[in-house]
Amino acid sequence: MWVRTMMASNVSNRMTELRTVLHHSDVPEQHRENMAFAMMLGKQGMGRPWPSSPIEAARWQIRQVLQLLDDAEVLVISPAAHAAVMAAAATLEPADVGTLDKNRDIPMPTGLLVLPEPVVVQNRGGSLSDIRAFGWQFVTQYQVLPDAQYSGVQLACFMDRDGPVQPEFWRLAVAQARATGSPLPPLVPDGIYGLRADGALAAESSERHTEISEEHRRFNTVLNQVAQPSAQLLEERQWDGGRITDSPVRRRHHCRDRRLGVRRAAAHRCRRSHRGGGQRRMADHRQRAPVEASTPSCCW
């Protein structure tokens, strides 16, 4: 019940933001709802018909997380490699994600990378959360205007239930869940994303990459305004173990660089079966947007 309620609230909030942005866009009115679902759930690997309620969407997301945790090969990364990958991720541009090719760049179809320590992230709106693990699995993405299907990767981020971000209401939620006999798991899902992974922009010019990156930044500026940020987000380009200013592209690239770092730094690999999951939007201080849409289709 806890997991389902929290994930449903998350879906509802993100859909509200997307609908608001599309209402002020040039997308024809009759297509806006379909576009919002595609930008959020279609990217994650859900096809039509779209869910009839946030609860239905949350049930689907829970099944996705459980499937990931059942099938994933578990990996760990050393602290030194972790720091190097974090620094590399901070240098990437939004359009770089469009060069991702799942067959070339991803070492396995389903994996869970556990970090040596949580990374504190400043979210859209200025609140904080922490990330302790990333999981991924291959999916087919479903998009509209025009209708299309792409090879993609579904990416799930996991927070540390007992991590460094512990506002009072979160501690109370954890205690209440435990008291009801449904404790939250040590790794709590903190959003599901979708990455296009067919190398769509690999052959494009650097000028085109620059244009797409600028389009992405403009779109996310609008989303930030819709979310009514409570604190100015600072731009950071290096990582020294401290807080990271959140960006949908930076998080995507950060995950992508971690994946490559696992392969190139020869991180230790192990197998195990791991079940658990949960996501919540109990309050903004521990919440990040599960999907931040990007105008360029390559980033869907």
Side-chain angles (χ1 to χ4, degrees), residues 1-289:
M1 180 183 69
W2 285 87
V3 172
R4 184 181 62 202
T5 301
M6 290 183 284
M7 294 185 77
S9 178
N10 205 0
V11 169
S12 178
N13 285 313
R14 298 287 70 75
M15 286 295 295
T16 297
E17 291 179 4
L18 287 173
R19 287 166 177 151
T20 301
V21 172
L22 290 172
H23 177 72
H24 297 285
S25 74
D26 57 1
V27 175
E29 184 175 358
Q30 68 270 27
H31 297 305
R32 290 173 187 168
E33 188 72 359
N34 197 24
M35 174 70 83
F37 275 111
M39 292 173 74
M40 181 172 178
L41 298 174
K43 289 173 60 175
Q44 298 175 20
M46 174 185 278
R48 287 180 283 188
W50 306 122
S52 60
S53 68
I55 287 292
E56 185 178 336
R59 290 194 182 104
W60 178 83
Q61 289 183 329
I62 290 170
R63 292 194 298 269
Q64 295 295 300
V65 171
L66 292 177
Q67 178 180 323
L68 166 67
L69 294 177
D70 271 342
D71 299 341
E73 185 166 355
V74 180
L75 305 101
V76 296
I77 186 170
S78 70
H82 178 217
V85 170
M86 290 288 294
T91 68
L92 295 176
E93 291 296 318
D96 291 337
V97 75
T99 66
L100 177 66
D101 186 318
K102 69 178 186 180
N103 297 318
R104 178 193 64 207
D105 298 326
I106 301 179
M108 62 202 67
T110 308
L112 180 71
L113 175 61
V114 182
L115 307 179
E117 61 181 358
V119 175
V120 177
V121 178
Q122 186 176 32
N123 310 314
R124 186 191 302 283
S127 60
L128 301 179
S129 63
D130 53 68
I131 302 174
R132 186 56 188 267
F134 294 93
W136 67 88
Q137 55 189 335
F138 292 169
V139 296
T140 298
Q141 294 185 322
Y142 300 90
Q143 290 301 297
V144 299
L145 297 179
D147 287 353
Q149 297 181 17
Y150 304 111
S151 295
V153 178
Q154 182 191 93
L155 179 67
C157 300
F158 296 85
M159 291 185 302
D160 189 337
R161 179 193 61 197
D162 305 313
V165 181
Q166 291 286 319
E168 181 178 355
F169 56 78
W170 176 245
R171 293 195 298 269
L172 178 61
V174 172
Q176 289 178 339
R178 185 177 293 115
T180 61
S182 301
L184 294 177
L187 294 179
V188 182
D190 188 33
I192 298 179
Y193 305 81
L195 303 178
R196 186 168 172 178
D198 58 0
L201 289 183
E204 293 287 349
S205 65
S206 59
E207 290 79 10
R208 179 57 181 151
H209 281 207
T210 299
E211 292 174 359
I212 291 174
S213 293
E214 289 303 317
E215 290 174 5
H216 180 96
R217 292 189 182 97
R218 286 194 296 270
F219 189 84
N220 279 282
T221 295
V222 175
L223 281 179
N224 284 334
Q225 293 170 347
V226 170
Q228 298 180 345
S230 58
Q232 183 177 0
L233 302 184
L234 305 177
E235 182 72 14
E236 300 178 10
R237 304 299 290 178
Q238 295 182 349
W239 187 72
D240 58 2
R243 182 183 305 172
I244 297 175
T245 299
D246 191 24
S247 147
V249 169
R250 181 165 297 129
R251 188 181 305 144
R252 291 169 182 165
H253 294 331
H254 168 53
C255 302
R256 177 171 180 254
D257 271 8
R258 276 197 176 128
R259 178 188 60 252
L260 297 176
V262 167
R263 192 169 58 179
R264 294 172 183 168
H268 175 65
R269 185 177 302 169
C270 60
R271 274 196 171 277
R272 70 179 180 181
S273 176
H274 182 90
R275 290 189 64 91
Q279 180 179 10
R280 73 271 170 267
R281 178 164 176 134
M282 297 297 292
D284 284 341
H285 292 80
R286 286 194 58 95
Q287 165 61 30
R288 296 181 311 140

